[in-house]
Amino acid sequence: MKNNVDRDLPEDVMADLNYQPFKTTEIGHPEIQRVAPKVHVSTGDDKVVTDIKQVVKDTLQDGMTISFHHHFRNGDFVFNKVMREIIDGGYKDLTLAPSSLTGVMNDMVIEAIKAGTITHITSSGMRGSLGDFVSHGGLKNPVIFRSHGNRARAIEHGDIKIDVAFLGVPNADALGNANGMEGDAVFGSLGYALMDAQYANKVVLLTDNIVSYPNTPASIKQTQVDYVVKVDKVGDPDKIGSGATRFTKDPKELKIASTVNDVIVNSPYFKDGFSFQTGSGGAALAVTRYLRQAMIDNHIKASFALGGITKPTTDLLNEGLVDKVMDVQDFDKGAAESMHTNKNQQEIDASWYADPDNKGAMVDQLDVVILSALEIDTKFNVNVMSGSDGVIRGAIGGHQDAATAKLTIISAPLVRGRIATVVPDVTTIVTPGDSVDVLVTEYGIAINPKRKDLQEALGNLPGVPVYTISELQQLAEKKVGQPKPLEFTDRTVAMIEYRDGSIIDTIKEVKD
């Protein structure tokens, strides 16, 4: 079975999981029936407990689906506390359905898989030892990878039915009103966790900071919460932004960022009231700085900035260069603190951010987005999931979702070390080439031939060479040579959903 990006899909797995092959980036206008959670009616007077083990015993059974959020990133203490009690409790055949998995969770997940505690996983991504473990066949069933918007869609549809959501928060009152903006381990927006709080059958908050009732503003509300567990410490605030927000001094990244800015400024979309999403990598942060100066020089203000938010973006808000920041997650402490003090920084959930099956997502109004890539091929398909060795080492995140913008720019170096970024065919298709408009490298740009308007607008920029993407691929190959073909077994270890729930690609087990 093949889909519309010419990827072979395993018919047995597709049938077992009742999947359809990817056809198009167009979502259409279906009529959707959403699900609702079970509610255990209570006055709420007895929600505060101190024993995680007892809460697990009261809420969990074999075969259930459990969820967590990843807003604490590598500063998360909650996941391992809860999973230790679940593994020690002897629970089996659980589905793990977090918004994403971070490195600090890896060892515990591997232990849980080996113990038979976790037999299914759905996530935005995974890296490190867990990605390697799964890529070499460590999990019995294929991992289901979904974008942030698609996870929201799947929860609302009932494709992901969360039995118990364990959600760490830096504060909560005795009935469960909580936000991410006050306490020792603040992380700002609770955007991804809000889906779990709304749709899980049982919601367990874990906090080290119980405050007076009623706690406002309340991102998670007492009407959604079953338990509030008091713990010693929920997370390390200094590690919430680790590995994500770094200011680059690398000449190659600065060159790419400068060229990205040239593309934006000379596009038809750079005008008063435009909207953008820039991301969190070193080059993306540099783009924000270049864009700031261009906005000042051209007397242009943006209507909104979207997505995962960093301090450079909130600085634009505070300077009056951006009217609103629509915030689904914060990548650093500065952005988290800004959300607490600036009413124009609006917390949004993952459905509002990017769910394709609702009455209008923020990404549908996005003019410009800058995204990264592990690989991009001559058909403009992008891989952000698997490395050049075939091992899982990334996340879909909001990549597919934000790529629906009017101008989708992929910023990536031509090569990384001895590994080509621009290749004939990507290892894993995550975002289809139909969504991608311009590739920016340190050597120049390539414009999707479907965008004749951009070819006209960007074809003669001073100091910005324009290539076909095939020419860039050949240049990359000339620099690093042709790699040895990857070897996989026939076993499927992961399924890559497109944002509508269809299958755009699969990942096979890496041969030892």
Side-chain angles (χ1 to χ4, degrees):
M1 178 188 299
K2 285 197 173 186
N3 61 17
N4 276 14
V5 286
D6 203 34
R7 290 293 163 127
D8 287 310
L9 306 177
E11 293 189 19
D12 56 340
V13 180
M14 294 288 287
D16 289 344
L17 299 177
N18 195 29
Y19 271 124
Q20 296 297 315
F22 168 78
K23 292 182 179 179
T24 177
T25 58
E26 297 297 322
I27 300 301
H29 303 285
E31 191 169 272
I32 303 301
Q33 179 62 58
R34 292 180 174 174
V35 299
K38 296 177 183 177
V39 175
H40 178 74
V41 178
S42 163
T43 60
D45 294 334
D46 56 352
K47 291 184 182 180
V48 177
V49 295
T50 57
D51 190 346
I52 299 175
K53 181 177 181 179
Q54 187 60 48
V55 171
V56 168
K57 184 178 179 181
D58 291 344
T59 58
L60 202 57
Q61 296 177 15
D62 290 353
M64 282 187 166
T65 295
I66 58 174
S67 74
F68 300 82
H69 68 71
H70 71 288
H71 287 290
F72 285 119
R73 306 178 74 79
N74 282 324
D76 194 314
F77 292 167
V78 168
F79 182 86
N80 288 338
K81 287 178 187 287
V82 174
M83 285 305 304
R84 171 51 55 209
E85 297 299 339
I86 291 174
I87 295 170
D88 291 350
Y91 295 93
K92 302 294 181 183
D93 195 29
L94 301 180
T95 295
L96 178 63
S99 53
S100 198
L101 290 163
T102 62
V104 73
M105 304 171 181
N106 285 353
D107 290 347
M108 192 67 73
V109 177
I110 292 171
E111 181 182 344
I113 293 170
K114 290 180 176 179
T117 302
I118 292 172
T119 54
H120 298 78
I121 296 175
T122 177
S123 174
S124 169
M126 61 178 60
R127 297 176 173 86
S129 58
L130 179 59
D132 189 70
F133 180 77
V134 169
S135 298
H136 288 88
L139 183 66
K140 178 182 177 182
N141 300 291
V143 175
I144 309 300
F145 287 117
R146 295 178 167 101
S147 72
H148 291 319
N150 185 25
R151 180 179 188 263
R153 181 208 61 80
I155 290 172
E156 291 169 345
H157 278 234
D159 298 341
I160 300 174
K161 187 55 187 172
I162 302 169
D163 293 294
V164 189
F166 296 96
L167 306 177
V169 289
N171 64 77
D173 64 30
L175 271 72
N177 297 300
N179 62 63
M181 295 178 285
E182 295 182 358
D184 292 333
V186 297
F187 50 74
S189 175
L190 265 162
Y192 299 131
L194 297 181
M195 299 305 302
D196 307 59
Q198 184 175 352
Y199 283 92
N201 286 336
K202 295 282 186 181
V203 175
V204 179
L205 298 189
L206 298 96
T207 187
D208 53 13
N209 180 31
I210 295 181
V211 299
S212 59
Y213 177 86
N215 182 27
T216 60
S219 301
I220 295 174
K221 304 170 185 62
Q222 66 188 63
T223 55
Q224 301 167 323
V225 177
D226 297 278
Y227 295 89
V228 179
V229 184
K230 179 70 164 65
V231 297
D232 293 337
K233 197 169 180 65
V234 291
D236 180 351
D238 292 331
K239 293 183 179 179
I240 291 173
S242 63
T245 53
R246 60 183 178 86
F247 292 101
T248 186
K249 295 181 180 179
D250 182 273
K252 183 189 294 187
E253 289 190 333
L254 290 172
K255 173 63 175 173
I256 292 171
S258 176
T259 305
V260 168
N261 183 66
D262 288 339
V263 168
I264 295 171
V265 170
N266 289 279
S267 77
Y269 307 106
F270 187 66
K271 55 188 177 183
D272 214 40
F274 84 109
S275 58
F276 67 91
Q277 178 176 323
T278 56
S280 63
L285 294 177
V287 170
T288 304
R289 289 180 165 183
Y290 285 120
L291 189 60
R292 171 186 176 274
Q293 191 59 51
M295 292 168 72
I296 292 171
D297 292 344
N298 291 276
H299 306 288
I300 285 176
K301 294 183 179 181
S303 57
F304 69 87
L306 180 63
I309 303 302
T310 61
K311 187 177 185 297
T313 301
T314 60
D315 287 345
L316 297 181
L317 177 69
N318 293 325
E319 287 184 77
L321 293 173
V322 173
D323 289 337
K324 306 282 183 180
V325 168
M326 308 303 283
D327 187 346
V328 71
Q329 70 170 324
D330 294 297
F331 286 121
D332 56 41
K333 189 182 295 185
E337 291 174 349
S338 172
M339 187 178 159
H340 187 41
T341 58
N342 196 319
K343 66 181 178 63
N344 290 320
Q345 187 170 338
Q346 170 68 50
E347 180 179 51
I348 61 175
D349 65 27
S351 181
W352 190 357
Y353 169 53
D355 177 6
D357 283 356
N358 65 19
K359 299 179 182 181
M362 289 301 305
V363 293
D364 297 328
Q365 306 304 315
L366 193 58
D367 290 318
V368 178
V369 65
I370 301 98
L371 300 169
S372 61
L374 293 174
E375 295 176 321
I376 181 169
D377 66 26
T378 54
K379 295 171 282 296
F380 286 86
N381 298 313
V382 177
N383 169 27
V384 290
M385 181 56 66
S386 52
S388 60
D389 55 0
V391 173
I392 298 166
R393 57 177 78 254
I396 301 177
H399 204 282
Q400 295 171 343
D401 304 312
T404 59
K406 297 179 181 69
L407 173 58
T408 297
I409 301 168
I410 302 297
S411 66
L414 188 71
V415 299
R416 292 183 174 94
R418 298 297 301 170
I419 299 169
T421 303
V422 188
V423 295
D425 291 287
V426 294
T427 306
T428 306
I429 297 178
V430 171
T431 299
D434 282 349
S435 295
V436 177
D437 300 307
V438 181
L439 166 65
V440 175
T441 74
E442 71 275 30
Y443 286 90
I445 68 174
I447 303 167
N448 193 320
K450 294 181 180 180
R451 293 300 304 268
K452 304 298 183 186
D453 58 329
L454 293 179
Q455 289 179 333
E456 183 175 340
L458 307 173
N460 295 292
L461 298 184
V464 180
V466 179
Y467 298 89
T468 68
I469 197 163
S470 293
E471 288 172 334
L472 287 177
Q473 183 273 315
Q474 290 163 10
L475 179 59
E477 186 175 301
K478 184 177 180 181
K479 289 181 173 295
V480 300
Q482 286 188 350
K484 181 181 176 182
L486 297 174
E487 293 187 357
F488 300 95
T489 72
D490 291 334
R491 183 183 171 199
T492 301
V493 297
M495 308 287 282
I496 310 296
E497 288 191 11
Y498 186 61
R499 57 197 301 261
D500 63 355
S502 63
I503 297 300
I504 194 165
D505 210 345
T506 62
I507 298 176
K508 297 294 186 182
E509 178 184 13
V510 176
K511 275 190 178 180
D512 290 325

